[in-house]
Amino acid sequence: MPSSYEITTIEALEALYDTVNPVSLAKETPALTPEYRQWIENTPFFALASTGPCGLDCSPRGDAPGQLFRVLDDRHIAIPDRRGNNRIDTLRNIVSDPRVALLFLIPGIEECIRINGSARITVDPQSIQSFRVGATMPRSVLLVEIEAVYFQCSRALKRSRLWDPAVHLMKGDVPTAGQMTKAAKPDFDAVSYDAELPARQQSSLY
């Protein structure tokens, strides 16, 4: 694509779009309102974006409401780092650069909520103990300080029909986890991996 079509200045970018709707700015708050708090406390899922020396990362976080995270006050939330693949990409980034962005979703609801802020990692025993599930505790807890909260309108989810069962795919419609791994590592045993994966994941949720 010819470079002459690239947008390289803020002035050119702003000239391309209409004036922002004042409501889109007014809905942003520097802390959780009671309504924003009620909304996010009902979500079972959010994506957490971070940045660091090696680039960007965006990781999914999911659990039952109440176990996924905890609102400490209108400016702070605590997030347990549940069991995962031990790449710790997000945590590595936060050690270097505390800036984070979170996108919260509720199945069936077409709006979503965004939080921008900064995070730090704690291994405070009381914080870790507070997120115990059975005999298992997280290795660490993220403490997020909120700088901005606002809801995103429903256009993206309406266009994608994200919650519409009529357009949902079945597992066999896309490559499996094993097949995707084998594409990167040709000698990988995708068949055995896929067969064992459901039980292994279920036994290692926490």
Side-chain angles (χ1 to χ4, degrees):
M1 185 173 294
S3 60
S4 60
Y5 288 101
E6 291 181 8
I7 300 296
T8 59
T9 67
I10 296 298
E11 292 77 14
L13 181 64
E14 291 178 343
L16 187 63
Y17 287 86
D18 297 332
T19 303
V20 63
N21 186 329
V23 176
S24 296
L25 299 175
K27 67 185 179 183
E28 180 179 326
T29 62
L32 291 170
T33 64
E35 292 76 15
Y36 279 154
R37 175 170 181 163
Q38 181 182 2
W39 201 103
I40 67 168
E41 286 185 329
N42 281 281
T43 182
F45 177 89
F46 67 87
L48 173 60
S50 61
T51 184
C54 295
L56 305 174
D57 182 70
C58 186
S59 65
R61 304 295 171 113
D63 208 335
Q67 291 182 174
L68 178 60
F69 66 91
R70 183 175 302 119
V71 176
L72 303 179
D73 56 47
D74 64 359
R75 289 290 311 281
H76 299 88
I77 62 175
I79 303 167
D81 191 56
R82 299 295 186 196
R83 191 168 178 175
N85 56 21
N86 291 324
R87 285 178 54 122
I88 56 175
D89 295 321
T90 298
L91 301 183
R92 293 180 194 275
N93 281 350
I94 288 171
V95 167
S96 301
D97 188 330
R99 292 176 297 172
V100 293
L102 299 86
L103 177 68
F104 297 81
L105 297 170
I106 297 177
I109 303 296
E110 292 184 325
E111 286 78 24
C112 51
I113 284 184
R114 299 168 64 168
I115 289 179
N116 295 334
S118 60
R120 51 195 173 95
I121 304 167
T122 181
V123 291
D124 170 61
Q126 186 173 348
S127 295
I128 290 176
Q129 177 72 27
S130 72
F131 285 107
R132 173 190 290 270
V133 174
T136 307
M137 293 179 288
R139 296 285 183 89
S140 63
V141 173
L142 288 178
L143 300 176
V144 175
E145 182 173 354
I146 296 169
E147 297 171 4
V149 188
Y150 55 100
F151 76 87
Q152 189 82 32
C153 77
S154 62
R155 291 188 187 91
L157 272 68
K158 283 184 181 296
R159 288 191 292 257
S160 67
R161 299 172 65 188
L162 187 63
W163 309 128
D164 184 353
V167 299
H168 289 179
L169 300 180
M170 303 297 290
K171 270 199 168 184
D173 295 331
V174 294
T176 66
Q179 290 167 343
M180 289 186 286
T181 304
K182 186 175 179 62
K185 189 177 185 299
D187 62 346
F188 185 74
D189 185 352
V191 175
S192 297
Y193 182 84
D194 285 334
E196 298 166 0
L197 186 59
R200 184 167 65 249
Q201 288 179 331
Q202 187 61 41
S203 67
S204 60
L205 286 177
Y206 295 98

